[in-house]
Each structure stands twice: as structure tokens, then as C-alpha cells.
Amino acid sequence: MVFSRWIDKEDKSIDEILVHIMDYESWRSPEIDELSNTVLNYTVSKIYAENQVVDINGENIIYNSLYFEYESISNVRKEWEPKEQRVSRINGNILIYVYMDTVYYIIDRSYSALSLSILRKINNYSGQKNIIEDKFEFDVDLFMWLVYKVKGQPAITNEEEVKITNIIGYRGASADKLAEIKGAGNNVLSLLSSLVFLLENEALNQIEIISVWNKESITLKISEKGWIDINFNTYTGVFILEEPYLNPKIMLTAFLEILPLIINSYNNDVKEQRWTKEIYKHFFTSIAKNVNARIQKKLEGLLEAEMIE
């Protein structure tokens, strides 16, 4: 499931925001489908009656979750069309939390005009800068650095706080920019096709990793566009028995601990010259040698098979 993170700039507490959101009947005027003369549905509900608290990286994070569902009239309306074709249903979940005295939203959508529209709609915001994106800055070079780390040294911090144990998926544009190449599977980096892909592509725009942190395992997909995809079904760790609080705690761990540690480790490796253009070139040379050796072995096997026949 894809997620994007946004910041509320209204300088309100999480309680003030939630009270206002849930009191929508007092400030919202019902929207009418004029062709059928029916009221469009609009509901927002809190998942937890009381705000929850979780310790993330030594910080008490206050959070709650919202479920929203509303109907919206299509921009192109035709009188003869039935309502279900003229009206779309938009629904999803929003995690709202406080970190360092700032209120954030994590919505189960990528960064888009619709995501921003949803957040502004449930808050009844009319200004242009009430809510702004809070993207992770993923340098595409970071993705290749992750491949390098997995192939050689899974621990990505000196304290070995986080380990990237496996890369199970990737995507990147081919050299001519006319096609995309992608791969997936538990042993993707052991495949000859993956190694050839890395040689030809030299740049990734998405990567899926299995990260291990403090006996927790989280599968994450990250994109150069800043969004995060979390596979909740593969999670193992201290929160595993904490339904219905499991998913929010996994999300907060990913956004506030795992990803910042990965980015900081990458930046430190660049700063301390543990990841340089020369190391990058040497890494690619080793990939090329590996590809050549595997192809040679495959050819030798085919020749032996022909001789036996």
C-alpha cells in the first residue's frame, strides 16, 4: 500500500484538528447531485476513541487514525447516465500524528492533487498553504548504494542498527528511456537478468527492500518520487500482537526510524567517502565480471550437453 506524508501548517494541536474534522456537520454544507436531487455521501470516522501513544526512537508519538468516504461528481456529467457513472466514491485512511510539535498526515495515496484535495476537504481548509508535502528526498544513487550494501555488507550503520537483508524488487528506465525494466522475487539479486539489468540501466527509480531493525522486519518499497509502499503482511516484530494498533505503529516506525536511518547512513557514507564514484565503478566492474563468468559457465554447460548427445 502506497503512502505519502504531509504537514499541517495551521499551528493547531492534534486535538483541535480532530475535533474540527469530526464536527463536520456543523461547518459542512451538504453537496447535492442536481440531476438526481440526492445528497452526496460524506463521512469521516476516528478509528480510536482516544488518541494513542507509541514510543518511536525515544520519542512519545501521539497519533490517531481516520477513515473517510465521500462521493464526488465527475467533471464530465451526462444527464442520461446513471448516478453510479456520474458519481465517484473516494475513500481511504489517514494517520494523523504529532512529531516535534508538528502535526503530520500519512495518507494511503501517492503525492498528488487528489491527496492534497482530500486532506484539505476533511479539514475544511481553503488556503493554498495550509497543508504541504513532506517528501523523503531519495537520490537515485541511494538505490544503487542499497544494492551495493546488500551485495557486500548488509549493515548500513556503524552501530548496525539497521540491516538491509534483501532486495526483492526494482524498477528503472532503460538507457534509451523508451522502456522500463522491473524485477521481483526473493532472490532477485542472484539472477543473471538482474545483474545485466544493473549494467545496462545504471539507475533505479524504485527499489523494494527487507529491512531489519531491533528484531523487527519490515518490507518497504521506496520511489524517487518520494512515496513509500509498506507490506504489512510480511512484518515481524514487537508490534505483531498489537491489533488494532499494528499498522499505525509499523507506519510510524518506517517513517520516523527506518527511512531516516537509511538516508543518514547513505549521506554519511558519501561524506566519509565510503561511497564514491570510484567505489561505484569498481562495483560495476565486479558485476560485469560476475555476468561474464555466469554466461561462460552457461555456454560451457550447453557445449557439454551437445557433446553428450
Side-chain angles (χ1 to χ4, degrees):
M1 187 173 290
V2 171
F3 297 97
S4 60
R5 182 169 63 178
W6 306 74
I7 298 176
D8 192 301
K9 303 294 287 184
E10 283 296 288
D11 194 27
K12 297 178 181 178
S13 70
I14 187 173
D15 289 320
E16 290 174 316
I17 291 172
L18 286 170
V19 167
H20 182 69
I21 289 174
M22 298 309 301
D23 193 31
Y24 59 84
E25 291 185 354
S26 70
W27 51 258
R28 181 181 177 275
S29 298
E31 297 180 52
I32 307 295
D33 174 20
E34 295 178 356
L35 294 181
S36 64
N37 198 32
T38 57
V39 177
L40 297 180
N41 177 51
Y42 179 95
T43 58
V44 179
S45 56
K46 285 198 303 184
I47 303 301
Y48 312 112
E50 303 293 333
N51 292 341
Q52 302 298 307
V53 180
V54 60
D55 185 314
I56 301 291
N57 201 20
E59 185 93 11
N60 282 332
I61 307 298
I62 300 172
Y63 71 92
N64 211 315
S65 291
L66 300 170
Y67 174 77
F68 64 89
E69 181 176 330
Y70 63 88
E71 293 177 325
S72 177
I73 300 292
S74 171
N75 290 331
V76 181
R77 298 186 296 177
K78 299 178 181 178
E79 292 188 12
W80 53 266
E81 288 183 329
K83 180 179 178 180
E84 57 267 22
Q85 294 183 22
R86 291 181 290 101
V87 177
S88 58
R89 180 176 289 110
I90 300 170
N91 58 43
N93 294 277
I94 298 169
L95 176 65
I96 177 172
Y97 70 93
V98 183
Y99 182 68
M100 303 294 287
D101 297 323
T102 299
V103 175
Y104 294 84
Y105 304 98
I106 299 177
I107 186 170
D108 55 358
R109 280 172 167 76
S110 61
Y111 293 97
S112 66
L114 176 58
S115 297
L116 177 58
S117 175
I118 291 169
L119 292 170
R120 293 179 63 191
K121 189 180 187 73
I122 68 167
N123 279 288
N124 195 32
Y125 287 163
S126 57
Q128 295 299 311
K129 297 294 183 180
N130 309 94
I131 296 175
I132 61 173
E133 296 177 348
D134 186 34
K135 288 184 179 181
F136 284 105
E137 295 295 331
F138 294 128
D139 189 324
V140 292
D141 185 53
L142 180 146
F143 297 160
M144 196 59 67
W145 170 81
L146 283 169
V147 175
Y148 168 73
K149 284 292 185 178
V150 170
K151 294 293 286 184
Q153 38 187 326
I156 69 163
T157 65
N158 291 335
E159 300 81 11
E160 296 192 358
E161 293 172 311
V162 175
K163 290 185 178 181
I164 307 301
T165 61
N166 207 345
I167 289 174
I168 58 175
Y170 57 75
R171 173 176 289 177
S174 62
D176 59 10
K177 304 299 182 183
L178 296 178
E180 282 192 332
I181 304 174
K182 59 183 179 180
N186 289 335
N187 299 308
V188 68
L189 285 185
S190 66
L191 299 176
L192 179 59
S193 59
S194 294
L195 298 178
V196 172
F197 161 79
L198 293 175
L199 285 175
E200 292 182 343
N201 213 57
E202 296 191 30
L204 305 176
N205 52 41
Q206 287 181 33
I207 192 166
E208 188 170 7
I209 59 176
I210 298 177
S211 60
V212 177
W213 174 90
N214 276 7
K215 298 181 180 180
E216 295 184 66
S217 177
I218 302 176
T219 300
L220 303 172
K221 184 186 294 182
I222 56 181
S223 164
E224 65 173 340
K225 295 181 180 180
W227 52 257
I228 312 300
D229 188 337
I230 302 174
N231 188 337
F232 296 105
N233 294 329
T234 63
Y235 170 82
T236 58
V238 296
F239 301 138
I240 197 67
L241 299 179
E242 297 195 25
E243 288 285 4
Y245 313 105
L246 175 62
N247 287 7
K249 291 183 177 181
I250 294 174
M251 292 163 62
L252 290 169
T253 298
F255 273 86
L256 298 180
E257 289 195 277
I258 301 295
L259 291 169
L261 280 171
I262 289 174
I263 294 171
N264 288 340
S265 181
Y266 165 75
N267 290 334
N268 287 335
D269 272 11
V270 171
K271 181 180 179 180
E272 300 297 328
Q273 296 192 324
R274 292 188 292 266
W275 179 244
T276 64
K277 288 184 178 179
E278 289 303 314
I279 294 174
Y280 177 87
K281 290 178 182 178
H282 184 269
F283 178 52
F284 262 74
T285 300
S286 67
I287 290 176
K289 290 179 178 178
N290 193 336
V291 169
N292 185 61
R294 292 193 189 191
I295 292 175
Q296 189 62 38
K297 186 175 181 180
K298 183 68 174 177
L299 289 173
E300 291 173 356
L302 291 174
L303 289 173
E304 289 179 4
E306 288 181 359
M307 292 177 63
I308 293 174
E309 291 179 357

